[in-house]
Every structure is written in C-alpha cells, then in structure tokens.
Amino acid sequence: MFKRKPKAHKIHRLNELQPMVASGRPVLINFYQVGCAPCQVMDGIVNELAREYGETAHVVKADIGKVPGAIEKYKIRATPTTVVIARPPEKMSKKARAKAQGTKKRTTARPTQRWRASGLVMKDQLQRVLESNGARRVEA
C-alpha cells in the first residue's frame, strides 16, 4: 500500500565512496551540516534526484561533522557543497572510433571530480550535470 521512496545514501566514512566510484556510474556527493538552512533545502533536492536517477547514478549525502577527513580531502569551505565524481567522456576522432570498434578495446580514464558548487544549486542544473556524465532518469 505504501511504498518507501528511495533516498540518498548517507555515508559515515570516506572509504564508503570507493566502491561507488569504481562502479563507473557518476557519484553526486552533497556535503552538509546539521542546522544549516540551505543544507535542509538541498536535502530535499538531493533525495528527489536519488529517486529520479535510481541505479544509473549514486546520490550520496555526507555530514561533514561526522565524516572524518571530508573537509580536508574535498577542500570544503562552506556548506552545502555538492561534488560530482565521474569518468571523463571519451573524445575520439571518427578514424579512432572506427578503429576502436574493430578491436573492441576501450581505454577508460579514472574517475575524477567533474563538477563542484557551494551553496544552493538548482535541481535542473544538477540534472544536467548528472546526465552529461552518463546518468539517465528511470521511469517511476
């Protein structure tokens, strides 16, 4: 009768991100802190994105007060801070693409930080960033 709506995954340690990044899907991380009004607004937006993109992207929330090392590693100066980690898109010439299709050998670059913003971010901007890095909306 009542379905639980999927929400963004909360992490408690930075090493929880490793398998998500290794999966090849884009990872959207929202760094927040308790008691921050803009963070509460972003919380709703991030949960909507988790629902809309389902398994095509990892949507994660991290409380900077409870995740040790997050401030230093991601150089967080203000909350909310949103980061997208993904593989860069492959750019090939037509000749290189034809040659790669024949050999089926693909070079995959390692995932890097592809986008970052501090403060409130509009949902449509986050959707564009996720889709440009390979995520797709799932039909609800």
Side-chain angles (χ1 to χ4, degrees):
M1 181 170 175
F2 293 105
K3 279 189 173 179
R4 291 192 70 179
K5 296 179 181 177
K7 291 186 175 182
H9 179 73
K10 287 187 180 179
I11 62 167
H12 303 288
R13 283 178 224 85
L14 286 178
N15 62 2
E16 293 177 47
L17 289 173
Q18 296 306 324
M20 293 179 203
V21 172
S23 74
R25 294 180 281 178
V27 181
L28 182 137
I29 311 166
N30 178 252
F31 295 99
Y32 71 97
Q33 64 185 34
V34 177
C36 164
C39 296
Q40 292 171 353
V41 172
M42 285 300 295
D43 183 52
I45 293 171
V46 168
N47 284 333
E48 285 179 24
L49 289 171
R51 237 175 282 132
E52 289 178 15
Y53 288 93
E55 295 297 317
T56 65
H58 295 286
V59 181
V60 179
K61 294 190 281 191
D63 182 352
I64 62 168
K66 294 183 179 176
V67 178
I71 295 172
E72 295 81 21
K73 181 171 181 176
Y74 290 97
K75 297 176 179 63
I76 297 169
R77 302 288 176 246
T79 54
T81 295
T82 307
V83 174
V84 173
I85 299 173
R87 294 186 194 285
E90 289 187 26
K91 294 182 180 177
M92 297 176 124
S93 67
K94 288 182 182 179
K95 287 181 182 179
R97 196 174 306 128
K99 194 181 283 186
Q101 285 177 347
T103 62
K104 298 289 182 190
K105 183 179 178 184
R106 295 185 68 175
T107 58
T108 54
R110 48 181 219 121
T112 59
Q113 182 174 310
R114 303 282 299 148
W115 185 84
R116 174 191 184 95
S118 290
L120 289 174
V121 182
M122 293 189 337
K123 181 180 172 184
D124 63 334
Q125 185 177 6
L126 291 170
Q127 289 171 329
R128 282 193 305 270
V129 169
L130 281 172
E131 288 172 9
S132 70
N133 284 293
R136 293 176 318 281
R137 286 191 186 153
V138 264
E139 300 300 319

